[in-house]
Amino acid sequence: MYISDQRPTARQLWKQPIGILEVGILSAQGLLPMKTKDGRGSTDAYCVAKYGLKWVRTRTIVESFNPKWNEQYTWEVYDPCTVITLGVFDNCHLGGNEKPGKDSRIGKVRIRLSTLETDRIYTHSYPLLVLQPSGVKKMGELQIAFRFTCLSLAHMIYLYGRPLLPKMHYLHPFTVNQLDSLRYQAMNIVASRLGRAEPPLRKEVVEYMLDVDSHMWSMRRSKANFFRIVSLISGLISLSKWLGEVCQWKKPVTTILVHVLLCILICYPELIPPTMFLYMFLIGLWNYRSRPRHPPHMDTKLSWAEAVHPDELDEEFDTFPTSKPQDVVRMRYDRLRSVAGRIQTVIGDMATQGERFHALLSWRDPRTTSIFIVFCLLAAIFLYITPFKIVTLIAGLYLLRHPRFRSKMPSLPSNFFRRLPARADSML
């Protein structure tokens, strides 16, 4: 979901670059001590940047909580909808340690190039956030400067209508298992190649930059993805609430205006598409005021990292297979069964609604199918002899009728649909 290179493997199929990305890795401020050296806290920080096939690494600034690198790098850009990743690490291989540990993670920054204005220089400090078993922690800030220079605006706009991946991915798509296997093999190949570089990039650095553990089960990520879906449909929920208020005449002036708009659109149906596009145009102009001034970064609220339970974090950082005691594994397994049970119920309800639609014409319940096909015949005759504008007007006025003409009981179509048979009774 945050790919940095979408070119084919064969160089003969590469297109011309559309722009240049310049990144200046300036400094870091307020880094926390990552290890103890001579009885005091110390950090030997370096920064790694990865975009496309090119990985770069700054020099290591020894024993400094405010390292200054002031190094600049450039990349050719072939697609604007890509992401550059920068990570800061503590070097644990200095000082002649006989048994050096792994390089520690300090934090990571991702920047999507499509969110950048062309030819604008950005100088911004990004917080370095890392998730630990004790919770999310700010490890400092990374100050970087970057600019995306576009070589051809027309070519870049043309790319927005092109497929993301090469043609072969759509002719012969990979299965999910094949993708997972290829990602794992590619990570090992990249890690072994960069491990032979000078200075070398350790395997733990490559794994962190490539997010190799993103497919592992995490209660926190599951909650975060659920609330991402909720936020997406919140607009539809708000629209349905507004429509409900209009139908209930809670704001009579708004309801009258909706009646007038309904009559105008029914009398002139050719105005419906341009009105929709004009409305979206006005929404876009209205939202221009609240556009982000800086490229977005890691969001702890979106990641559900601030309100996560400590045991859920401990489970996320557990090894695979698990190394926890039997009673802890049993407790987590029971919790997982509880969550999966709720998901199973929701999926079963969705399947039930779909099977009820299918039962309308499948004759599983002969009476409901007979009633429905007779209704379809009568509706077809009625719609053939009645102008469509009259039908739409009657339907709209019925939907917007006053509350005194409404019943608090479910409607006839709703009652009929809920009585349709599903296949849940055929399951063991």
Side-chain angles (χ1 to χ4, degrees):
M1 301 304 170
Y2 27 86
I3 192 171
S4 65
D5 187 18
Q6 297 166 340
R7 290 173 294 171
T9 305
R11 291 180 176 269
Q12 296 85 349
L13 300 178
W14 288 7
K15 306 296 183 181
Q16 291 297 318
I18 63 164
I20 301 296
L21 175 64
E22 302 170 88
V23 177
I25 304 176
L26 304 180
S27 62
Q29 291 90 26
L31 298 184
L32 299 182
M34 303 300 297
K35 57 180 176 287
T36 302
K37 185 181 295 184
D38 298 330
R40 56 187 177 86
S42 174
T43 298
D44 306 324
Y46 66 93
C47 184
V48 176
K50 179 252 180 186
Y51 181 78
L53 300 178
K54 182 178 176 181
W55 294 63
V56 298
R57 169 178 171 163
T58 66
R59 66 189 186 278
T60 300
I61 306 298
V62 180
E63 298 185 9
S64 174
F65 299 132
N66 300 286
K68 298 184 183 299
W69 295 289
N70 294 320
E71 299 184 16
Q72 182 173 346
Y73 304 93
T74 60
W75 285 268
E76 290 183 338
V77 178
Y78 293 85
D79 195 303
C81 302
T82 46
V83 175
I84 181 172
T85 303
L86 301 98
V88 181
F89 302 87
D90 174 57
N91 195 333
C92 296
H93 295 77
L94 296 179
N97 295 334
E98 296 181 359
K99 295 182 178 180
K102 294 183 177 181
D103 288 356
S104 303
R105 308 169 178 179
I106 298 179
K108 182 164 53 180
V109 174
R110 296 194 198 100
I111 301 172
R112 184 173 292 273
L113 270 58
S114 61
T115 62
L116 305 178
E117 298 178 14
T118 55
D119 300 318
R120 174 184 170 184
I121 298 177
Y122 293 85
T123 303
H124 193 57
S125 293
Y126 287 93
L128 295 171
L129 304 174
V130 66
L131 193 64
Q132 298 178 348
S134 58
V136 65
K137 192 172 184 179
K138 182 179 178 181
M139 309 295 289
E141 292 186 349
L142 175 65
Q143 186 178 17
I144 53 178
F146 47 92
R147 177 175 63 182
F148 173 43
T149 304
C150 178
L151 301 179
S152 173
L153 181 61
H155 188 197
M156 184 169 65
I157 295 176
Y158 167 76
L159 279 180
Y160 275 89
R162 300 296 300 165
L164 283 174
L165 299 174
K167 182 178 179 180
M168 191 59 65
H169 284 268
Y170 303 97
L171 297 179
H172 304 286
F174 291 116
T175 64
V176 175
N177 292 334
Q178 287 175 330
L179 284 175
D180 289 340
S181 175
L182 286 172
R183 285 195 186 103
Y184 179 73
Q185 295 176 28
M187 186 277 298
N188 286 331
I189 293 174
V190 172
S192 62
R193 177 172 62 86
L194 295 177
R196 297 191 298 268
E198 187 58 41
L201 282 181
R202 313 292 174 183
K203 186 175 181 179
E204 61 270 16
V205 174
V206 177
E207 289 179 347
Y208 182 59
M209 296 289 289
L210 295 180
D211 296 287
V212 295
D213 58 346
S214 60
H215 66 285
M216 299 296 292
W217 160 257
S218 168
M219 185 73 74
R220 176 189 60 83
R221 287 198 191 100
S222 301
K223 290 179 180 179
N225 289 331
F226 171 77
F227 284 102
R228 285 172 62 193
I229 296 175
V230 170
S231 66
L232 284 177
I233 64 177
S234 61
L236 296 177
I237 295 175
S238 301
L239 180 62
S240 65
K241 289 181 179 178
W242 176 82
L243 184 60
E245 293 177 354
V246 170
C247 294
Q248 296 293 334
W249 287 71
K250 293 185 177 181
K251 298 179 179 179
V253 176
T254 304
T255 304
I256 294 173
L257 291 177
V258 170
H259 277 83
V260 174
L261 179 62
L262 174 66
C263 295
I264 293 175
L265 293 179
I266 289 175
C267 294
Y268 304 99
E270 63 275 4
L271 295 179
I272 296 177
T275 302
M276 293 174 56
F277 283 107
L278 179 62
Y279 184 62
M280 289 187 287
F281 169 76
L282 294 176
I283 292 177
L285 283 184
W286 180 264
N287 291 337
Y288 180 77
R289 304 177 308 159
S290 58
R291 70 190 187 280
R293 306 297 179 179
H294 299 284
H297 182 47
M298 309 291 187
D299 191 337
T300 55
K301 293 184 178 179
L302 178 67
S303 305
W304 207 252
E306 294 178 337
V308 64
H309 192 274
D311 183 70
E312 295 174 359
L313 272 179
D314 186 60
E315 180 185 18
E316 183 172 345
F317 282 92
D318 192 10
T319 58
F320 186 84
T322 182
S323 59
K324 298 297 179 181
Q326 186 175 1
D327 55 342
V328 175
V329 175
R330 182 184 293 111
M331 182 272 294
R332 291 176 179 174
Y333 176 64
D334 290 339
R335 181 178 60 194
L336 182 60
R337 288 176 65 191
S338 175
V339 174
R342 290 195 290 270
I343 296 174
Q344 173 183 280
T345 302
V346 173
I347 294 176
D349 291 341
M350 295 171 60
T352 296
Q353 306 307 322
E355 289 169 353
R356 282 174 174 167
F357 275 108
H358 184 262
L360 286 171
L361 298 173
S362 66
W363 292 92
R364 190 156 188 260
D365 184 342
R367 283 166 293 279
T368 56
T369 303
S370 301
I371 294 172
F372 183 70
I373 62 174
V374 171
F375 168 78
C376 290
L377 176 62
L378 297 177
I381 297 173
F382 174 76
L383 293 175
Y384 271 123
I385 64 178
T386 307
F388 181 72
K389 293 182 180 180
I390 302 299
V391 175
T392 308
L393 180 61
I394 294 174
L397 294 177
Y398 176 78
L399 180 66
L400 298 173
R401 67 192 186 278
H402 198 272
R404 70 178 59 181
F405 301 112
R406 296 176 180 271
S407 173
K408 295 184 178 179
M409 300 298 291
S411 62
L412 188 149
S414 176
N415 295 332
F416 182 79
F417 182 76
R418 288 177 180 275
R419 291 180 177 274
L420 288 169
R423 303 182 65 186
D425 54 355
S426 300
M427 292 183 62
L428 291 173

